[in-house]
């Protein structure tokens, strides 16, 4: 089938590469000339496993790159819209890019087209796209608008696309629903996975996805509700982690206890410094905003974002409790990306925390296996960029773990202790156990667990300790 994908960002580029891997002839369009030039000259733009292989396998054959929506639309039956839907005013989704693409498509149609929403959009966007198409000259009978939300996670985007739990197609027309079924046929019938050259299926992924056909409105809501629910699960466990700290319980034990209930499940119950990325923060706000528009005050989502914001502040208080004053303190930060496995720093909790520490006068030396260049575009030379975790730790007053990269969970702790000025580790992702840190002679502060101090830096179990642990974040109390 001839397909075009408008937008070569994380979702668009992965979708284009995977659709050509399924055997379709795909043209990926972007208004950013530089991006298209890079893609046409063999570049990848984003850090995703298997993406480079798929691009080299299909580039200039099944997959081409262009800046012309017009040409792409003319030669395609299906057009996926995967442009940005950033956070707009009042937290709602800014759909101006989607509208401008719909207008451009309308002015280029030359026969029946299926327009597919791949970007995350609020409910009813399919109606707005339809309206914009007709207003810009398209004949209402000559196209259909379908919602086909993408559930891929950065870091595992290619395998999430090729081996999804479910494919959701929201179409208000039988004709369009049949076309989308054909697009995904190699995944639905499992024939793709049988191919010798297929991208290997991760063990935890289904071999064939559930194929869910709904109305366009339901599909649009499925995406927002899915992201909001996952974000809520993270904020819920972070709230429980805070209670654990107050009552001396251990969040990792609690997670095991609640996560083993099949109705709850262990997924997305990792406590830490909160969620970030280009999706959860903006989609929670956009869902809150569209629900309000349709008369429902989704206050629960306010709490989800509020807990997420508080989680970062709590971590900074822990840094203060461990280091007392922060001015001119040297801090080593491991992690800049918003999560492991990606170079994406959009809404990164790590960068939020580093920015706050810089405002408090800290000197920060950071290391990240993939996101240094993208972080430099935000932090510039306000921090020092180390070549590995150990050179970051050298001479630092404390080490902070901010992103859950697997390599940060296997560091040489005794070497770290040697390099650090003070044996202090603050772990915002609970990558270690308090025991292994204590065995390495390191004072360890994590999330949802009591501080583990080898040399009692803060008085334990006394009112003062509570104060020191940042109940009110001020240190004055310690002096008198
Ligand atoms: C996008 C949406 O932002 C997100 O809501 C959705 O969940 C997934 O798709 P992402 O792929 O990460 O996310 O977006 P981004 O990386 O911003 O890429 C969008 C691309 O569209 C950019 O390359 C941009 O240049 C391109 N674009 C944008 C166009 O080609 N034309 C436009 O009019 C606007
Ligand atoms: C998310 C959704 O998972 C995906 O389905 C959707 O298409 C896009 O948004 P992504 O943003 O790439 O994907 O990352 P995800 O793995 O969901 O992590 C999001 C954030 O939550 C990260 O900052 C991560 O560190 C944090 N997180 C995730 C937790 O703090 N705890 C968890 O248990 C899981």
């Amino acid at each position: 089938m001839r397909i075009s994908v408008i937008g070569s960002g994380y979702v668009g580029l992965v979708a284009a590469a995977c659709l050509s891997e399924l055997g379709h002839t795909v043209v990926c369009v972007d208004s950013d000339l530089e991006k298209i030039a890079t893609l046409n000259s063999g570049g990848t733009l984003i850090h995703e496993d298997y993406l480079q292989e798929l691009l080299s396998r299909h580039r200039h054959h099944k997959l081409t790159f262009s800046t012309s929506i017009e040409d792409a639309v003319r030669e395609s039956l299906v057009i996926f819209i995967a442009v940005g839907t950033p956070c707009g005013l009042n937290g709602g989704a800014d759909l101006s890019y989607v509208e401008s693409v719909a207008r451009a498509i309308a002015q280029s149609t030359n026969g029946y087209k299926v327009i597919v929403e791949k970007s995350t959009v609020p409910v009813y966007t399919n109606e707005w796209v339809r309206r914009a198409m007709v207003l810009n000259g398209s004949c209402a009978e000559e196209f259909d608008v379908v919602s086909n939300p993408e559930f891929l996670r950065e870091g595992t985007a290619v395998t999430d696309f090729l081996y999804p739990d479910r494919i959701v197609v929201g179409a208000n027309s039988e004709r369009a629903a049949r076309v989308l079924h054909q697009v995904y046929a190699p995944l639905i019938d499992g024939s793709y996975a049988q191919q010798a050259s297929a991208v290997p299926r991760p063990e935890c992924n289904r071999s064939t996805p559930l194929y869910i056909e709904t109305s366009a409105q339901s599909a649009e809501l499925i995406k927002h509700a899915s992201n909001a629910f996952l974000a809520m699960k993270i904020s819920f466990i972070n709230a429980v982690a805070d209670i654990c700290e107050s009552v001396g319980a251990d969040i990792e034990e609690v997670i095991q206890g609640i996560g083993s209930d099949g109705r709850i499940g262990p997924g997305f119950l990792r406590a830490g410094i909160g969620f970030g990325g280009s999706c959860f923060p903006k989609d929670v706000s956009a869902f809150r905003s569209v629900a309000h528009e349709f008369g429902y005050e989704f206050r629960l989502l306010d709490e989800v974002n509020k807990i997420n914001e508080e989680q970062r502040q709590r971590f900074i208080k822990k840094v203060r409790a461990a280091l007392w004053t922060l001015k001119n303190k040297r801090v080593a930060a491991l992690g800049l990306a918003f999560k492991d496995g990606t170079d994406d720093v959009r809404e990164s909790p790590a960068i939020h925390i580093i920015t706050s520490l810089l405002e408090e006068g800290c000197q920060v030396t950071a290391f990240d296996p993939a996101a240094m260049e993208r972080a430099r575009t935000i932090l510039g030379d306000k921090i020092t960029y180390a070549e590995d975790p150990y050179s970051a730790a050298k001479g630092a007053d404390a080490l902070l773990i901010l992103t859950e990269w697997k390599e940060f969970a296997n560091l040489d702790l005794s070497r770290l202790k040697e390099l650090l000025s003070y044996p202090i580790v603050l772990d915002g992702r609970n990558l270690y156990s308090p025991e292994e840190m204590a065995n390495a002679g390191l004072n360890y502060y994590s999330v949802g667990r009591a501080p583990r101090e080898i040399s009692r830096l803060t008085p334990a179990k006394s009112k003062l300790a509570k104060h020191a642990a940042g109940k009110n974040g001020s240190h004055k109390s310690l002096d008198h």
Side-chain angles (χ1 to χ4, degrees), residues 245 273 311-333 349-350 352-354 356-358 360-364 396-402 422 424-428 443-447 451 453 457-458 467-471 473-475 478:
E245 288 176 21
I273 52 178
Q311 215 48 17
R312 294 170 189 160
Q313 299 315 321
R314 280 184 79 84
F315 189 77
I316 291 165
K317 280 183 186 163
K318 283 184 186 137
V319 179
R320 252 193 241 111
L323 290 177
W324 193 6
T325 64
L326 293 181
K327 200 151 176 239
N328 302 325
K329 286 287 172 37
R330 300 181 58 187
V331 166
H352 278 285
I353 285 174
I354 288 171
S356 301
L357 293 174
L358 290 171
E360 302 233 12
C362 274
Q363 294 161 28
V364 177
D397 300 312
L399 178 92
L400 277 51
I401 300 175
L402 301 176
Y422 299 111
I424 297 174
V425 174
L426 292 116
D427 185 352
N443 296 285
Y444 184 60
Y445 308 87
S446 57
V447 176
E453 295 172 333
L457 292 177
T458 49
H467 284 300
K471 281 282 170 263
S474 66
H475 292 287
L478 270 179

Side-chain angles (χ1 to χ4, degrees), residues 10 46-48 153-156 336-346 368-372 374 403 405:
Y10 280 83
I46 55 176
H47 168 99
E48 278 293 339
R153 291 161 296 170
E154 293 181 28
T156 53
L336 293 163
F338 81 93
K339 61 177 237 183
D340 65 322
T342 180
D343 59 353
D344 196 346
V345 293
R346 290 179 285 183
D368 188 287
M372 303 265 251
R374 288 187 188 266
T403 305
W405 284 98

Side-chain angles (χ1 to χ4, degrees), residues 300-316:
L300 174 63
L301 299 184
D302 296 339
E303 215 41 47
V304 168
N305 272 342
K306 189 159 160 281
I307 292 169
N308 200 52
E309 179 49 42
E310 284 169 0
Q311 215 48 17
R312 294 170 189 160
Q313 299 315 321
R314 280 184 79 84
F315 189 77
I316 291 165

